[in-house]
Amino acid sequence: MYILSIESSCDETSIAVVKDGREEICCTTYSQLAEHSVYGGVVPEIASRAHLDRIDTLTKQTLADAGLALAEVDAVAVTAAPGLIGALLVGVNFAKGLALGAGKPLVPVHHIRGHIASNYLTYKDLAPPFLCLVVSGGHSHIVEVKDYTTFNVVGRTRDDAVGECFDKVARTLGIGHPGGVYLDKLSASGDPNKYKFPNPKVDGSPYDMSFSGLKTAAINLLHNAEQKSEELDKPSVAASFGKTIAEILCGRFFAAAEDLGYKKLCVAGGVAANSQLRALLKATATEKNVELFLPELKYCGDNATMIGVQAYYEFLAGHVGDMSLNAAPTMEIAENF
Ligand code: KG4
Ligand code: ZN
């Protein structure tokens, strides 16, 4: 089964063709980084317009690269939630037009379900149940993946998402957008034990996380040094900050795995590319003798292939949309469209 999939929830316009939920035939992604970087973050209005400018030509190009006509694909899939509403609407309306015009089923996909599904591309035999740590610009969740379309959130951030936290600290450091990528690079030459940051517990919920105190501590450290004209060791700030984030995430994730009896663990989302996090996850998994699956770096960030993968399983479960489909800026991962 060939699925044509569309991702436009944030600042990447991405179109893919995926075969039988496990094989990427081709994927074309246009990153809007250059359009947004002058503003130090994603500007929703610019994102919507940039999606609109390219979505049709990227789709034609992707189908041509796949050697398929629209008539030969079996379904059209699209990220319909969560994300920037204007950006999502471009993808959803385009997908509805394609599905209606070509007489194909329309499969709406939850963006975070797509991130989790990116693991199925690398590990062809991987199948639920497993526990997944989802870390992106908008989400920090610990999710039970009970089967391909059944999810249960057991832990979540009470405030900022971890990617957002990386991005705000990077902005204060003046090192570019998206901040997580630049902080990761900077941390490589720093001492992760030089600066101490808080690792706050959340009352009453052992797997929930809180990142706003950590973010504020890092921003205060930078502002105070600036006011006193003190020179900070920026690579070590980045490394100490990254180490604290990795420790918070690993602490909650492995505690949840142990308590809930999971021996199979996956990670997903843009922050899954972080080198300090990957290293600590691998070391802890080895120490605790559990299986760990990390998505390939190219599938950590937003891409349409992961949407095509998840769409296959949604389609098999009968989760097909119709012309009343609407985009939603927020939606729980456990909910179906
Ligand atoms: O999953 P994603 O591409 O988009 C959302 O669904 O939000 O995640 C984007 C986030 C951004 O906050 C970005 O700074 C962060 O992922 N990110 C990283 C790294 N690469 C991307 N954070 C830390 N280290 C990285 N290497
Ligand atoms: Zn994402």
Side-chain angles (χ1 to χ4, degrees), residues 7 9-10 12 111-112 115 136-139 269-270 300-303 306:
E7 157 62 40
S9 67
C10 190
E12 251 98 33
H111 182 75
I112 298 301
H115 272 300
S136 72
H139 292 77
C300 288
D302 291 346
N303 65 86
M306 67 187 197

Side-chain angles (χ1 to χ4, degrees), residues 103-242:
K104 305 290 176 185
L106 175 68
V107 186
V109 176
H110 189 289
H111 182 75
I112 298 301
R113 291 190 185 191
H115 272 300
I116 294 172
S118 63
N119 285 285
Y120 303 138
L121 288 157
T122 312
Y123 307 102
K124 302 290 183 206
D125 297 326
L126 174 67
F130 53 81
L131 193 69
C132 189
L133 175 69
V134 179
V135 276
S136 72
H139 292 77
S140 309
H141 281 6
I142 297 171
V143 185
E144 284 184 282
V145 182
K146 292 180 170 262
D147 66 41
Y148 288 105
T149 57
T150 310
F151 302 82
N152 179 40
V153 177
V154 296
R156 64 173 74 223
T157 179
R158 291 286 181 90
D159 39 56
D160 296 349
V162 65
E164 193 184 341
C165 193
F166 270 115
D167 294 343
K168 298 237 168 89
V169 171
R171 197 187 300 180
T172 312
L173 268 168
I175 56 167
H177 167 81
V181 177
Y182 289 91
L183 273 176
D184 195 1
K185 283 190 190 139
L186 189 63
S187 71
S189 56
D191 170 5
N193 300 311
K194 183 158 179 177
Y195 298 97
K196 294 280 169 270
F197 291 112
N199 177 343
K201 300 273 175 297
V202 177
D203 281 347
S205 181
Y207 318 130
D208 279 358
M209 302 152 256
S210 163
F211 293 105
S212 77
L214 169 63
K215 178 191 73 184
T216 308
I219 291 174
N220 286 347
L221 175 76
L222 297 168
H223 282 162
N224 288 342
E226 196 184 353
Q227 277 162 10
K228 293 182 197 157
S229 301
E230 278 172 14
E231 195 62 35
L232 278 176
D233 172 3
K234 288 185 179 175
S236 295
V237 173
S240 305
F241 182 71

